[in-house]
Amino acid sequence: MVSKKSRSEVRIKKHNRMRNRFAGTAERPRLSVFRSNNHMYAQIIDDVAGNTIVAASTLDKDVKAELTKTNNVEAAALLGKVIAKKALDKGINTVVFDRGGFIYQGKVQALAEAAREAGLEF
């Protein structure tokens, strides 16, 4: 009998395949995106050193204060602007985009496009 894998298992497998192809460096760190049912998280990571340089999420007080809901496209777009502003303040302007195995549409696409409009290059 053929058993179907859950969506989360498929997403994790996709993410691991993508992570084998690229990694963040000090010159060009990785912008990692994760979305849960209620919130979105974005962080810029230097994989060589193994540390997070910049992080933002819809749980942050300043971000959450501007939102009515934390799990829609508008929230993702705001999060993209916030993470791009924090990155530019740290002197980071080019990143590698890691969509975390999620399909590039909806919230993930909104976050990426807002980050690009705010000044990040990827």
Side-chain angles (χ1 to χ4, degrees):
M1 184 162 103
V2 177
S3 62
K4 189 174 180 181
K5 291 187 178 180
S6 70
R7 284 180 179 240
S8 60
E9 288 175 339
V10 171
R11 183 196 70 79
I12 290 169
K13 193 170 181 182
K14 274 186 206 174
H15 187 219
N16 289 335
R17 278 198 312 262
M18 289 170 47
R19 289 281 291 115
N20 286 332
R21 281 189 271 148
F22 58 82
T25 62
E27 304 85 44
R28 190 170 170 157
R30 176 170 58 99
L31 171 59
S32 176
V33 175
F34 178 75
R35 65 178 180 83
S36 68
N37 287 338
N38 296 323
H39 296 282
M40 283 199 73
Y41 309 86
Q43 51 184 339
I44 296 181
I45 304 166
D46 177 6
D47 289 316
V48 176
N51 60 358
T52 299
I53 302 167
V54 177
S57 74
T58 54
L59 286 170
D60 296 343
K61 287 184 180 181
D62 55 340
V63 176
K64 199 171 187 178
E66 297 182 30
L67 301 171
T68 55
K69 290 183 73 177
T70 57
N71 62 347
N72 57 9
V73 175
E74 291 79 23
L78 180 65
L79 185 62
K81 290 176 190 172
V82 169
I83 194 77
K85 183 181 179 305
K86 286 184 177 183
L88 292 172
D89 290 344
K90 290 268 187 166
I92 300 166
N93 46 0
T94 58
V95 295
V96 177
F97 186 65
D98 176 11
R99 60 187 172 90
F102 297 105
I103 299 169
Y104 186 79
Q105 69 178 16
K107 298 172 201 169
V108 175
Q109 182 178 6
L111 187 142
E113 289 174 354
R116 280 191 191 104
E117 287 174 11
L120 276 183
E121 295 177 20
F122 54 93

